[in-house]
């Protein structure tokens, strides 16, 4: 799977929007962009994924650049519960290699 | 609650011993994945099963083995335990084995401490 690059850490204030960037310059045409997060002492949690178009769900929005070499996870109003490590992961469509490659991710700190 | 259950939550054992970790996937999910998370290695993929068959292997030691049973629950067996095997072990499940399309849902993990 192609690799991704994320900032080590980001900070936000509660109730403000958060934009978490991810660079994936070697992405292939069939790679999905997945985001997971891991809260302290918990298992990773699926957030969102997409292929080409922007995606929205109840947790977040995913904005994908037109050339697909980067994407941004958007938390519209950060809460204290959103403090976690966020992982951006590429997964090939049709890939039977089911593993998720977790890099270092971005540690998000949310201040009250 | 992801719908994935893991037992036990905590396990403390001595070096050289053998333990079994159990995972029940979400209802309807056919794929089960095992991951290990230690402080120095981060989250590492160990092995994947799909509908009872092994599909992919990651950094899984020969002392470790796994299987998926007809009812789709899975067990991870760790033997000849060493201090370095102390870690969090997560199980995840997904509907299919098409890597890109499907999201994975993770259980709460089993914390293994080897003394």
């Amino acid at each position: 799977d192609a690799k991704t690059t994320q900032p080590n850490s980001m900070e936000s204030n509660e109730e403000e929007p958060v934009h978490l960037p991810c660079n994936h310059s070697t992405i292939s045409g069939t790679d999905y962009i997945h985001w997971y997060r891991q809260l302290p002492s918990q298992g990773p949690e699926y957030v969102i994924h997409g292929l080409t178009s922007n995606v929205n769900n109840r947790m977040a929005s995913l904005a994908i650049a037109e050339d697909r070499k980067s994407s941004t996870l958007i938390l519209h109003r950060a809460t204290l519960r959103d403090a976690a490590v966020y992982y951006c992961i590429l997964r090939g469509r049709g890939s039977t290699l089911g593993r998720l490659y977790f890099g270092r991710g971005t540690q998000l700190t949310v201040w009250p | 609650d992801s719908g994935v259950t893991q037992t036990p939550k905590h396990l403390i054992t001595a070096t050289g011993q053998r333990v079994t970790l159990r995972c029940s996937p979400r209802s309807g999910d056919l794929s089960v994945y095992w991951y290990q998370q230690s402080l120095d290695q981060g989250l590492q993929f160990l092995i994947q099963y799909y509908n009872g068959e092994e599909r992919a292997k990651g950094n899984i030691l020969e002392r470790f083995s796994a299987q998926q049973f007809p009812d789709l629950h899975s067990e991870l067996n760790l033997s000849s335990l060493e201090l370095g095997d102390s870690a969090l072990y997560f199980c995840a499940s997904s509907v299919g084995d098409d890597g890109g399309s499907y999201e994975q849902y993770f259980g709460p993990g089993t914390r293994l401490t080897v003394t």
Side-chain angles (χ1 to χ4, degrees):
Chain A
D1 295 314
K3 295 293 174 66
T4 62
T5 304
Q6 300 176 251
N8 289 332
S9 62
M10 292 187 65
E11 298 183 357
S12 174
N13 294 317
E14 208 174 4
E15 299 189 4
E16 288 185 354
V18 181
H19 291 233
L20 296 165
C22 181
N23 288 318
H24 27 78
S25 58
T26 60
I27 191 171
S28 76
T30 55
D31 283 342
Y32 282 81
I33 302 160
H34 285 242
W35 284 83
Y36 287 76
R37 71 180 185 181
Q38 187 172 21
L39 280 65
S41 302
Q42 294 189 26
E45 177 184 28
Y46 166 76
V47 179
I48 200 168
H49 76 285
L51 185 61
T52 55
S53 304
N54 295 342
V55 184
N56 300 296
N57 65 21
R58 63 174 180 82
M59 289 181 66
S61 296
L62 176 59
I64 301 172
E66 200 168 328
D67 64 5
R68 301 208 327 124
K69 293 184 185 297
S70 66
S71 61
T72 303
L73 178 70
I74 302 166
L75 307 179
H76 296 285
R77 289 182 70 220
T79 68
L80 296 179
R81 196 195 172 275
D82 292 322
V85 179
Y86 287 78
Y87 299 97
C88 171
I89 300 166
L90 301 184
R91 302 286 308 288
R93 177 167 47 187
S95 168
T96 56
L97 294 179
R99 71 187 186 284
L100 290 172
Y101 172 78
F102 288 86
R104 294 288 182 188
T106 297
Q107 174 69 63
L108 175 66
T109 300
V110 180
W111 300 103
Chain B
D1 183 358
S2 67
V4 178
T5 60
Q6 290 187 248
T7 56
K9 279 190 174 180
H10 303 277
L11 201 47
I12 301 174
T13 189
T15 54
Q17 295 298 305
R18 171 191 168 95
V19 297
T20 297
L21 313 184
R22 182 188 169 102
C23 168
S24 293
R26 289 190 323 156
S27 176
D29 284 359
L30 298 179
S31 273
V32 170
Y33 312 80
W34 286 97
Y35 294 84
Q36 178 193 56
Q37 185 171 35
S38 58
L39 282 175
D40 56 345
Q41 293 288 333
L43 266 160
Q44 301 279 320
F45 167 74
L46 294 178
I47 197 164
Q48 176 200 0
Y49 280 83
Y50 175 76
N51 204 20
E53 292 187 3
E54 181 184 304
R55 276 303 171 102
K57 261 187 174 178
N59 300 322
I60 187 165
L61 300 171
E62 285 190 11
R63 301 183 284 108
F64 296 0
S65 65
Q67 52 184 326
Q68 186 179 28
F69 295 87
D71 67 351
L72 301 178
H73 91 271
S74 178
E75 292 181 357
L76 178 67
N77 299 297
L78 315 176
S79 62
S80 303
L81 285 168
E82 302 175 358
L83 295 177
D85 298 327
S86 296
L88 270 167
Y89 291 84
F90 291 106
C91 167
S93 72
S94 67
V95 170
D97 69 343
D98 179 339
S101 308
Y102 299 109
E103 60 270 26
Q104 293 184 15
Y105 292 90
F106 285 76
T110 294
R111 181 175 294 279
L112 173 67
T113 302
V114 182
T115 62

